[in-house]
Amino acid sequence: MGFPVVGIVGGGQLARMMATAAVGLGVGVRVLAESPGSSAARTVPGTLIGDGADLDRLRTFARGVDVLTFDHEQVPTAHLVRLADEGVVVRPGPEALVHAQDKVRMRSRLTAAGLPCPAWARAVDADSVAGFAARHGWPVVLKTTRGGYDGKGVEVVSSRDQAVAVMASLRAAHDDLLVEQHVPFVRELAALVARSPHGQAVAYPVVESVARDGVCAEVTAPAPGLAEATALEAARIALGIAGLLGVTGLLAVELFETAGGGLLVNELAMRPHNTGHWSLDAAVTSQFENHLRAVLDLPLGDPRARAPWTVMANVFGPVDPSVPSMYDAFRHVMARDPGLRVQMYGKEPRAGRKVGHVTAYGGDLADTRERARHAAAYLMGEIDE
């Protein structure tokens, strides 16, 4: 029927859920996955196996699609510039995506635009870190400029001697580092927006995100107790960044809420994001569908929630390998709570690995939260009743 084909670089759960959204839109999807066992490769026919860092493989993949988008930010920026120069439609484009790939580029651009960020500097050596701490106080946060995600490549240090050891460890994989002020935040928020090439944009409800060991564990939409003015400011910041950087697709802006109600930008992601997974089952239009709509320049869908409260809880691989089959637990939680939505990613469970998520929604926050937490804990083997 002449419908376009979207190529997704990366075969993780985001690609898997984007492919599901594409079915409803009637658009085609191809995936470039890291291995045949990748989450999306298990469900998307015709998946091409290859490394997104291989320019020739990217070229081969791009020949069969109308637009190229991403499951992760790990594709080299230079490769995307080459593809765009050769006529491949890349969304988000490399000039935007680099700000989600390179934290120094991101901090420089946002700071120059007057957007609220923690104090930061390049971490040249331990002396520069100590000098930064003399101005802003210990502890400080050391980060790799590229490659970090889910708490990886991020370390809190409290002294110059500790900085020496941590910098040596981080530089084993990444040469460039930055140091940031350690923010005594009240909680973490996330503002997700979708933006199309012609500038249409929509904003999802601002959510509260709770991390476990540096990894998102639970999301509540909307963020409980968030002042309306603060929610509007968070959305304004996210929409402003999307316009400033020329983002096409989903933009997730992770924010710190400080004690005085102020906001600071922590991280950016230009793809569907863990803090938006709740939308798959509880928003009028999910983040996955709106990302596809945006990269195809289709009219964007309604981002509003279907219920007053939604809680999404991630499911991690059990620490105890003797935990019974997850499928048995899967059947149990579905029978216990027919209104619960369970999404599993087709991944082999291992300790600390995200293998799925559960979503509950309803009119009472305490009840909704208990339902989501109970189901996730049961799936992980943390409870047995």
Side-chain angles (χ1 to χ4, degrees):
M1 295 188 294
F3 276 50
V5 176
V6 178
I8 305 170
V9 180
Q13 62 264 24
L14 300 182
R16 182 182 176 119
M17 288 183 273
M18 275 191 268
T20 301
V23 172
L25 288 172
V27 301
V29 167
R30 294 192 68 209
V31 172
L32 178 64
E34 298 77 9
S35 73
S38 297
S39 181
R42 293 173 180 266
T43 58
V44 181
T47 293
L48 182 67
I49 306 304
D51 187 350
D54 182 333
L55 179 57
D56 289 336
R57 202 61 169 162
L58 281 172
R59 280 196 179 108
T60 299
F61 180 64
R63 290 191 194 107
V65 305
D66 295 286
V67 59
L68 205 64
T69 193
F70 310 97
D71 167 273
H72 58 68
E73 289 96 355
Q74 309 308 318
V75 182
T77 309
H79 289 3
L80 299 179
V81 171
R82 288 283 296 275
L83 291 176
D85 288 345
E86 292 167 8
V88 177
V89 180
V90 180
R91 290 176 176 163
E95 68 285 347
L97 187 62
V98 68
H99 296 92
Q101 296 174 316
D102 187 314
K103 293 181 177 64
V104 168
R105 290 282 294 272
M106 180 265 286
R107 286 284 183 238
S108 298
R109 188 72 181 277
L110 298 191
T111 301
L115 289 158
C117 297
W120 68 278
R122 285 184 178 272
V124 178
D125 51 30
D127 287 337
S128 68
V129 173
F132 181 89
R135 298 188 297 276
H136 300 286
W138 295 101
V140 297
V141 182
L142 285 171
K143 295 182 177 181
T144 58
T145 59
R146 285 178 175 259
Y149 66 96
D150 280 351
K152 299 177 178 65
V154 179
E155 297 287 346
V156 178
V157 299
S158 300
S159 68
R160 183 189 182 283
D161 288 345
Q162 188 181 5
V164 170
V166 168
M167 292 177 79
S169 174
L170 292 177
R171 281 189 168 139
H174 303 279
D175 289 336
D176 293 332
L177 304 176
L178 74 159
V179 56
E180 292 183 354
Q181 177 186 15
H182 187 268
V183 177
F185 58 88
V186 173
R187 58 177 170 175
E188 292 182 273
L189 304 173
L192 270 66
V193 299
R195 182 178 181 274
S196 64
H198 72 270
Q200 184 192 7
V202 297
Y204 284 87
V206 177
V207 303
E208 176 185 275
S209 174
V210 177
R212 176 194 295 179
D213 299 326
V215 182
C216 176
E218 183 178 289
V219 171
T220 303
L226 186 65
E228 182 180 3
T230 306
L232 290 172
E233 177 63 8
R236 187 196 68 80
I237 288 170
L239 290 166
I241 292 172
L244 174 72
L245 303 182
V247 175
T248 297
L250 250 292
L251 170 69
V253 181
E254 297 179 42
L255 300 153
F256 293 135
E257 183 184 10
T258 62
L263 299 172
L264 295 171
V265 176
N266 180 28
E267 301 280 358
L268 303 181
M270 295 181 194
R271 50 167 171 75
H273 192 254
N274 202 167
T275 57
H277 285 1
W278 68 271
S279 69
L280 183 61
D281 295 301
V284 177
T285 309
S286 77
Q287 64 163 348
F288 303 98
E289 180 175 332
N290 261 337
H291 182 75
L292 294 175
R293 287 186 182 215
V295 301
L296 292 168
D297 208 10
L298 293 170
L300 300 179
D302 187 342
R304 289 177 296 176
R306 296 182 181 275
W309 296 106
T310 305
V311 178
M312 186 281 301
N314 277 326
V315 177
F316 298 89
V319 174
D320 183 355
S322 68
V323 167
S325 163
M326 258 192 176
Y327 187 64
D328 292 339
F330 178 76
R331 293 188 297 179
H332 171 83
V333 299
M334 292 177 75
R336 181 180 185 272
D337 186 350
L340 191 77
R341 304 298 296 174
V342 184
Q343 299 285 340
M344 303 302 289
Y345 305 153
K347 293 181 172 182
E348 289 298 321
R350 62 170 181 261
R353 186 186 199 189
K354 281 185 286 190
V355 296
H357 71 264
V358 297
T359 304
Y361 50 92
D364 181 84
L365 175 58
D367 175 70
T368 303
R369 184 171 279 160
E370 189 281 331
R371 290 166 55 212
R373 288 177 176 176
H374 182 280
Y378 195 93
L379 284 162
M380 293 185 287
E382 295 176 351
I383 59 175
D384 59 6
E385 60 182 6

